[in-house]
Amino acid sequence: MTALEFLGLLLIVAGFSTLPLLLAVPLIWVERKVAARIQDRFGPNRVGPYGLIQPIADAIKLITKEDITPAGTDKFVYNLAPILSVASVVLMWAAIPLGPNQSLIGVDLEIGVLYIIAVASLGTLAVMMAGWSSNNKYALLGAFRVVAQLVSYEVPLVLSLLIPVLFAGSLSLQDIIIAQHGMWFILMAPLAMLIFFVSAQAETGRAPFDLLEAESELVAGFNIEYSGMKFGLFFAGEFAHVATNGFLIAHLFLGGWQGPGVTFNGPWWSTLLGIFYFVLKASIFYFMSLLLRNSVPRVRIDQLMDFNWKFLVPISIGNLVMTAFLVMITNAAGFGLASYQPLSEATFFELLPVTLVLFLGNVVVLAVIVGTFGRQLREERLTVEAVAAGD
Amino acid sequence: MNILTEWTPIGLFFIIAAVLPAAPILVAQLLNPSKPNDIKLQTYECGVETVGDTWVQFKVQYYIYGIVFLVFDVEMIFLIPWAIAFNELDMFAFWAGFLFIFLLTDALVYAWRKNALEWE
């Protein structure tokens, strides 16, 4: 590799690395405006037209605030934690394709999806470091709970992520997107998408799973003792992480940059169209996450863990087994995914029968869930209502 | 792609990802006021003096959740090659994977019944 090539690579890497932090800036504005509108108020509208300069004002404020490092903290770890939290998101962007062109991806790793999951776990480590080094009981308790949450919700996350991998036969994200040329995976595995979405919300610490922040309990949790830009980095890292999860869902289930008129490595207008489709799909999920955040109350920690281990994990295992079973049956019957390899050449109508079978399988799993838990949930709700009515 | 062309950019990403967030912090250190005094540097506990040792006792339940997660993490790692090669294998591959998943689901049921998944 010549020096010039290396320099070019360095520029590309630097470009991809700054994107998540730059993306966090408009996302803060979107978040505050949407939250405000849901709460029937205006949101920031003084700083610049429609409050668009607000995030920049926030950034300036955070940079110029005094950085109070309390006595007794473990200085090295304390300073490293926000850096690691943002680094984990930046590293995720190395393997996420932004458009239908081989140059619009940092590195098209063959183990793309596995790498992304691994790097996302670095954020968990950053939270633990922050909580431990702050020399503060609240921070430590908050950090313990958050790490238990983040670590537990990785199980349904990866189990539901195995389903697009199973369909496409590859861990590389670009391959998974290319394989969705005929049929988007959401139609073949809607339940997996729901489980992935919920687990991704829990992984990034968004409501209703936001015990991480828990403004009213534990007084801001693990980042109590952080002020100024270090807090700002945690904050920006969280927004960028939620956006990255939106990208992942768009890639894995909604076909990424696939859409009418887009070809892989095609002309420039096809590339732009692909980027537009991708951004549109990712925005839908970011918006859904914002809606969820502003609509539901926070869950308790024991409800959180119960929800994961006693509901999401069995469901995702059942879903994986059901999907694999149906794929095997359709492969043996002759109209399954194996008959239309490579998937990038299959058309919508060729894949329609197998899609219908898989969709029905998902419906069956959903019916089993509702049947098993529905009765229990109804009893619980009636008990709660009876108690409330008796007061 | 061979290992060098695939992973050199990742190595560069690691270095830049470590350096990039440090830049705003350094800019902040240049721009922010720094007037530490004893009261500001105290640990926060809702405005009162701290009571007791800071590093509280670790609740054992977290450890148990960690172990259960470990079991499922290793299961996931083993399921990944199974999922990748699934479309090219015959029916026996599904039943082999199913047996593996079934044994580990059995482990989950065991942990559930032994109340290992309760928060308190």
Side-chain angles (χ1 to χ4, degrees), chain A residues 17 64-66 69-71 107 135-137 144 151 166-167 169 225 233 305 309-310 317 324-325 328 331 338, chain B residues 6 9 17 20-21 32-33 35 40-41 43-45 51 54-55 58 65 69 83-84 86-87 94 101 112 118:
Chain A
S17 309
T64 53
K65 268 203 187 288
E66 178 177 354
T69 305
V107 187
N135 193 26
N136 187 322
K137 280 197 242 0
F144 284 161
V151 137
L166 196 146
F167 291 153
E225 301 284 10
L233 280 179
M305 299 309 254
W309 292 111
K310 300 183 185 175
I317 293 179
F325 179 69
M328 171 193 78
N331 280 345
Chain B
E6 215 173 77
L20 193 71
N32 64 10
K35 303 184 176 65
K40 259 202 257 186
L41 292 179
T43 310
Y44 177 73
E45 192 160 319
V51 175
T54 304
W55 280 294
F58 189 72
Y65 280 129
F69 162 73
I84 295 177
F86 194 77
N87 271 321
F94 168 73
I101 295 177
W112 192 333
E118 300 294 323

Side-chain angles (χ1 to χ4, degrees), chain A residues 167-250:
Chain A
F167 291 153
S170 163
L171 282 173
S172 155
L173 265 181
Q174 199 77 287
D175 280 348
I176 294 181
I177 299 176
I178 293 173
Q180 292 183 63
H181 178 80
M183 173 77 67
W184 291 354
F185 289 158
I186 187 177
L187 292 171
M188 294 203 235
L191 199 60
M193 195 223 81
L194 281 176
I195 298 175
F196 187 86
F197 181 66
V198 171
S199 309
Q201 296 307 106
E203 271 291 308
T204 49
R206 295 292 269 190
F209 308 111
D210 63 349
L211 282 162
L212 258 138
E213 293 140 9
E215 285 98 12
S216 45
E217 317 148 18
L218 290 187
V219 201
F222 68 92
N223 50 20
I224 292 180
E225 301 284 10
Y226 283 90
S227 53
M229 204 55 211
K230 294 183 189 151
F231 173 73
L233 280 179
F234 270 121
F235 201 57
E238 180 187 321
F239 279 118
H241 196 178
V242 177
T244 314
N245 270 324
F247 293 160
L248 268 181
I249 299 183

Side-chain angles (χ1 to χ4, degrees), chain A residues 144-145 147-148 151-152 305 309, chain B residues 57-71 116-119:
Chain A
F144 284 161
R145 290 188 178 188
V147 168
V151 137
S152 304
M305 299 309 254
W309 292 111
Chain B
Q57 189 174 26
F58 189 72
K59 207 160 81 131
V60 128
Q61 191 55 36
Y62 296 112
Y63 182 64
I64 298 183
Y65 280 129
I67 294 183
V68 179
F69 162 73
L70 187 66
V71 169
L117 302 174
E118 300 294 323
W119 177 251

Side-chain angles (χ1 to χ4, degrees), chain A residues 1 6 9-10 13-14 16-18 21 62-72 79 82-83 86-87 90-91 93-94 106-111 114-115 122 132 134-138 140-141 144-145 148 151-152 154-155 158-159 162 165-171 219 224-225 229-230 233 301-302 305-306 309-310 313-314 317 320-321 324-325 327-328 331-332 337-338 341, chain B residues 1 4-10 12-22 24-29 31-37 40-46 50-59 62 65-66 68-70 72-73 75-77 79-95 97-98 101-102 104-105 108 112 115 117-120:
Chain A
M1 187 173 286
F6 190 75
L9 191 61
L10 197 63
V13 168
F16 271 98
S17 309
T18 45
L21 289 182
L62 285 171
I63 287 185
T64 53
K65 268 203 187 288
E66 178 177 354
D67 197 358
I68 306 175
T69 305
N79 288 324
I83 296 180
V86 174
V90 167
L91 283 172
W93 276 65
V107 187
D108 191 12
L109 286 176
E110 274 186 41
I111 58 159
L114 186 61
Y115 167 80
L122 281 181
W132 176 266
S134 294
N135 193 26
N136 187 322
K137 280 197 242 0
Y138 291 111
L140 195 59
L141 284 176
F144 284 161
R145 290 188 178 188
V151 137
S152 304
E154 268 187 48
V155 178
V158 179
L159 281 175
L162 278 182
V165 167
L166 196 146
F167 291 153
S170 163
L171 282 173
V219 201
I224 292 180
E225 301 284 10
M229 204 55 211
K230 294 183 189 151
L233 280 179
I301 182 72
D302 61 316
M305 299 309 254
D306 278 352
W309 292 111
K310 300 183 185 175
V313 169
I317 293 179
L320 179 66
V321 167
F325 179 69
V327 169
M328 171 193 78
N331 280 345
L337 291 170
Q341 295 289 346
Chain B
M1 288 205 251
L4 207 57
T5 53
E6 215 173 77
W7 291 92
T8 312
I10 298 286
L12 283 179
F13 258 103
F14 264 84
I15 298 173
I16 293 193
V19 163
L20 193 71
I25 294 184
L26 289 174
V27 169
Q29 300 286 15
L31 289 178
N32 64 10
S34 180
K35 303 184 176 65
N37 61 33
K40 259 202 257 186
L41 292 179
Q42 271 178 354
T43 310
Y44 177 73
E45 192 160 319
C46 298
T50 58
V51 175
D53 221 2
T54 304
W55 280 294
V56 298
Q57 189 174 26
F58 189 72
K59 207 160 81 131
Y62 296 112
Y65 280 129
V68 179
F69 162 73
L70 187 66
F72 280 93
D73 203 24
E75 166 183 2
M76 279 156 14
I77 298 291
L79 284 180
I80 287 177
W82 178 75
I84 295 177
F86 194 77
N87 271 321
E88 291 139 28
L89 300 169
D90 57 355
M91 285 178 78
F92 179 71
F94 168 73
W95 294 111
F98 174 72
I101 295 177
F102 175 72
L104 286 159
T105 311
L108 178 69
W112 192 333
N115 292 328
L117 302 174
E118 300 294 323
W119 177 251
E120 291 303 331

Side-chain angles (χ1 to χ4, degrees), chain A residues 354-370:
Chain A
V354 83
T355 308
L356 281 173
V357 170
L358 287 168
F359 192 81
L360 282 174
N362 273 305
V363 167
V364 164
V365 172
L366 202 61
V368 166
I369 294 168
V370 168

